Amino acid sequence: MQLRDYQIEFLDRLYQAIRNGATKIACVAPTGSGKTVLMAQIAQHIVQGNCRVLILVHLDVLVGQTYDKLQQFGLAAKCGFIKAGWPEEREAPVQIASIQTMSKRQWWRSWPADVVIYDEAHQTLFAKVGQTVRYETHPQAIILAFTATPYRLSKHEGLGDHLDTLIAAPTPAELQRLGMLAPMRYFGLPVADQVDLAGVRTIAGDYAESDLKNACDRPALIQRIVEEWQRLTPGKRTIAFCVDIPHAEHVAAAFQQAGVPAAVVSGEMPVADRQRLYESLGQGELLVLTSCNVISIGFDRPEVEVGLLLRPTQSLALHHQQIGRVMRIAPGKTSGTILDQAGNLLRLGFPEDLDAYTLTRGETASGASIIPKRQCPQCNCICHAALPRCPACGVEFPNLATAVINEADLVEVLSQYEREASPAIRQQIHHYRQLRQRGYQQRQDPTWAALQFRQTFGVLPKRSWSKGAIFGHTPTQRDYETYLTHLNQLAIAQGKHYSWVHQEFLDEFGADASHWIAAQMQTRVRPALAAAQRSGYGPTSYPVLR
């Protein structure tokens, strides 16, 4: 397998650290950077050096995913497993071990591992078995602790309490610039309508599930997220992060009632059943898959375009894991969208705002050292809470009263990274907007402008740069009608899915036009495309996007 340039650089820095004497190393590789690929390449190098490696994972599905990558590096015949239902080959130089099964078997205690790789180390390193390996059975082994999110809910213990060196892959923002992660759009509650969690207890560092259920598992809120999905992201493959299984069932039922194919996935399901649901979502047979914690880690369907944040959390790791499920790139996918009903963006910020990774210890283990956020009531920019005024629009921040739960429309929110664009980025934005104007004048598909931009700059433009490029920032009803006719004609001629029309319309006119286009989708767009498909035109399978 051909590694990317930054993956080669990561390995060079890692091996240099080992040559310099480092033996307990945190390896941070965010979503989309190829964490499992890096682990597999390291395992191949270890085996080629006639050494042995023990790989610890904490979810059943990660055993299969890890083995799949190892096979791509020619290690299929070199693997044994410490996992029920998988073949036990004690002489194999690579052992893939479930920490749950390890607690029930003992032979691995004397297995001579030269290197121990912890997958999802913010979990496995702190499990009882993980600590046993680190300090009792393999204290002399080189420890490589891999994670996409080096934060923990614990305020008393972090990765830095057990490791001494950190090697990191590029941050999410850097990966987006490299085209390795999709551009993102975020929608959250207006600043005056945030969920009031004052009465929700905190247990073991996060909100108490029983209290959250009372706050979030309410018919009115569930109906609102269905309506917002239909308004902002109809027809797009979606995953929803819920409080518990009954909440996930209620959300799926509400989507089904609205005529949207939806299902629930839970940890109680056999792995094969879960995989069938994931495949159905990837193929578009399902449009919405709801869960409680099952698809936060180990879920790998990059085709997913929308994430629904329906469970408030204090966990920065969980927050980044959930958003990361939507940030992956896939053929035909040009962006991801987050609909945040839980207030997590305001509480924990955006992955794109992360400047660098550090080894956290003690009181910084949860990521609490990250500066608190606040949301501008005028432009919805989310920025540092300590600022007296918004860095984007300059409005002075008021002293806001305690917010209450409200059923307001979601609004687009922007990260500080998005607001603090460099002159070079502003030049790119100007160039792209000119391309959109020229493309429309030539009756081109809007994709033409994005592809022309990529040929020049090597990456796709952000969707947020499109707003008002063709019709300006004060469009009329006639502009709406004109552009919808243009998009409808293109969709029929090119066999595009109705969600493409909806997305391209909102790209130009923004969320202010979402109610208007939602009504047109039902009365004009979907019937016209369905009629075209019956006549032999249009998409033959979901979805035909850009």
Side-chain angles (χ1 to χ4, degrees):
M1 177 178 287
Q2 182 67 40
L3 296 185
R4 301 165 185 164
D5 289 345
Y6 68 81
Q7 292 173 329
I8 295 172
E9 181 187 351
F10 177 96
L11 293 177
D12 287 345
R13 287 187 283 117
L14 174 64
Y15 295 156
Q16 184 60 52
I18 293 172
R19 286 192 291 270
N20 291 341
T23 59
K24 306 296 182 282
I25 304 172
C27 302
V28 181
T31 295
S33 63
K35 172 167 65 73
T36 312
V37 169
L38 288 168
M39 290 165 49
Q41 178 65 88
I42 292 167
Q44 183 192 55
H45 291 160
I46 292 169
V47 172
Q48 289 173 343
N50 295 317
C51 294
R52 296 182 172 225
V53 57
L54 175 65
I55 304 175
L56 275 62
V57 302
H58 82 294
L59 292 176
D60 291 349
V61 67
L62 295 177
V63 174
Q65 288 183 10
T66 302
Y67 181 57
D68 288 344
K69 281 293 187 293
L70 289 171
Q71 289 185 87
Q72 295 177 34
F73 282 84
L75 296 177
K78 304 289 186 179
C79 292
F81 300 88
I82 308 173
K83 176 70 184 83
W86 290 77
E88 188 175 279
E89 300 288 347
R90 299 188 185 185
E91 298 305 314
V94 180
Q95 296 291 330
I96 306 173
S98 160
I99 60 174
Q100 290 84 3
T101 303
M102 290 176 73
S103 64
K104 301 172 185 176
R105 302 181 186 177
Q106 302 299 316
W107 63 264
W108 57 267
R109 290 174 170 270
S110 58
W111 192 78
D114 301 287
V115 179
V116 178
I117 295 177
Y118 289 82
D119 187 25
E120 305 292 350
H122 60 283
Q123 301 275 359
T124 54
L125 182 62
F126 297 89
K128 184 177 179 179
V129 166
Q131 291 286 284
T132 298
V133 171
R134 165 71 175 83
Y135 290 104
E136 298 178 21
T137 62
H138 296 77
Q140 302 305 316
I142 293 174
I143 301 295
L144 304 180
F146 273 86
T147 179
T149 50
Y151 318 109
R152 304 190 68 243
L153 280 174
S154 170
K155 294 182 179 179
H156 307 293
E157 191 178 31
L159 289 174
D161 293 304
H162 303 283
L163 307 167
D164 51 36
T165 304
L166 183 143
I167 305 295
T171 64
E174 291 171 323
L175 290 170
Q176 284 180 327
R177 287 193 287 269
L178 292 170
M180 297 295 105
L181 287 179
M184 295 292 293
R185 297 184 73 184
Y186 297 95
F187 293 84
L189 289 167
V191 66
D193 299 294
Q194 294 293 325
V195 177
D196 181 10
L197 299 173
V200 177
R201 295 168 296 165
T202 294
I203 298 177
D206 205 357
Y207 295 119
E209 187 175 291
S210 58
D211 293 352
L212 282 181
K213 182 174 179 63
N214 294 331
C216 302
D217 192 4
R218 295 165 40 192
L221 284 177
I222 292 172
Q223 184 58 36
R224 283 299 294 136
I225 199 60
V226 174
E227 293 168 354
E228 291 297 87
W229 181 88
Q230 291 174 317
R231 180 172 73 92
L232 296 169
T233 56
K236 292 185 176 293
R237 287 162 290 192
T238 300
I239 51 178
F241 302 99
C242 303
V243 173
D244 56 14
I245 294 175
H247 184 209
E249 291 172 342
H250 297 157
V251 174
F255 274 101
Q256 293 166 358
Q257 186 68 29
V260 179
V264 181
V265 63
S266 75
E268 299 171 358
M269 289 182 174
V271 173
D273 292 345
R274 280 182 255 166
Q275 293 299 330
R276 277 192 288 271
L277 286 175
Y278 298 159
E279 184 67 23
S280 295
L281 182 67
Q283 295 298 323
E285 298 163 4
L286 283 176
L287 286 185
V288 178
L289 189 61
T290 69
S291 84
C292 170
N293 291 334
V294 176
I295 51 181
S296 299
I297 299 174
F299 174 83
D300 189 17
R301 296 303 310 197
E303 307 94 335
V304 169
E305 302 152 278
V306 181
L308 308 181
L309 306 186
L310 309 182
R311 180 204 190 283
T313 182
Q314 298 178 49
S315 169
L316 186 63
L318 179 61
H319 179 59
H320 282 193
Q321 291 278 3
Q322 290 177 346
I323 294 175
R325 301 310 97 192
V326 184
M327 296 182 82
R328 294 182 182 275
I329 57 174
K333 175 180 174 180
T334 56
S335 67
T337 304
I338 294 296
L339 305 186
D340 177 20
Q341 195 184 57
N344 290 337
L345 290 169
L346 177 57
R347 189 177 305 109
L348 299 167
F350 302 77
E352 294 93 326
D353 283 343
L354 184 66
D355 292 327
Y357 296 100
T358 58
L359 271 180
T360 56
R361 295 179 174 85
E363 291 299 319
T364 66
S366 66
S369 59
I370 294 176
I371 299 175
K373 308 295 188 297
R374 72 187 306 170
Q375 183 173 337
C376 175
Q378 179 164 302
C379 71
N380 292 305
C381 173
I382 292 180
C383 55
H384 295 167
L387 296 176
R389 60 182 67 249
C390 176
C393 67
V395 69
E396 189 169 323
F397 287 136
N399 292 321
L400 298 175
T402 301
V404 297
I405 291 179
N406 181 295
E407 297 165 16
D409 288 354
L410 300 181
V411 296
E412 186 163 12
V413 294
L414 299 177
S415 68
Q416 192 163 344
Y417 166 79
E418 185 82 12
R419 288 294 190 180
E420 295 176 348
S422 66
I425 295 297
R426 287 195 289 271
Q427 183 179 6
Q428 291 181 17
I429 294 172
H430 179 70
H431 180 75
Y432 174 59
R433 292 170 69 83
Q434 287 184 321
L435 286 173
R436 280 183 64 87
Q437 293 171 12
R438 189 189 317 159
Y440 177 69
Q441 292 165 1
Q442 297 173 359
R443 313 310 293 168
Q444 295 273 8
D445 179 331
T447 305
W448 176 86
L451 295 179
Q452 291 293 316
F453 181 91
R454 185 167 64 181
Q455 286 182 5
T456 302
F457 296 102
V459 296
L460 286 170
K462 286 183 173 292
R463 282 195 178 275
S464 58
W465 299 352
S466 301
K467 185 178 178 183
I470 300 170
F471 294 95
H473 293 292
T474 56
T476 64
Q477 179 84 13
R478 184 174 181 179
D479 293 334
Y480 285 3
E481 295 281 357
T482 300
Y483 200 52
L484 181 58
T485 299
H486 171 66
L487 295 176
N488 245 358
Q489 291 172 346
L490 289 171
I492 291 172
Q494 299 178 21
K496 292 184 180 293
H497 191 263
Y498 64 80
S499 63
W500 177 85
V501 175
H502 183 272
Q503 181 67 72
E504 293 295 344
F505 187 90
L506 288 184
D507 282 355
E508 175 60 31
F509 297 112
D512 292 343
S514 59
H515 288 294
W516 188 89
I517 188 59
Q520 305 305 310
M521 294 294 293
Q522 297 298 324
T523 59
R524 293 169 58 183
V525 178
R526 295 180 68 173
L529 293 182
Q533 188 173 359
R534 288 194 296 271
S535 300
Y537 299 92
T540 57
S541 62
Y542 177 88
V544 182
L545 297 172
R546 283 183 172 177

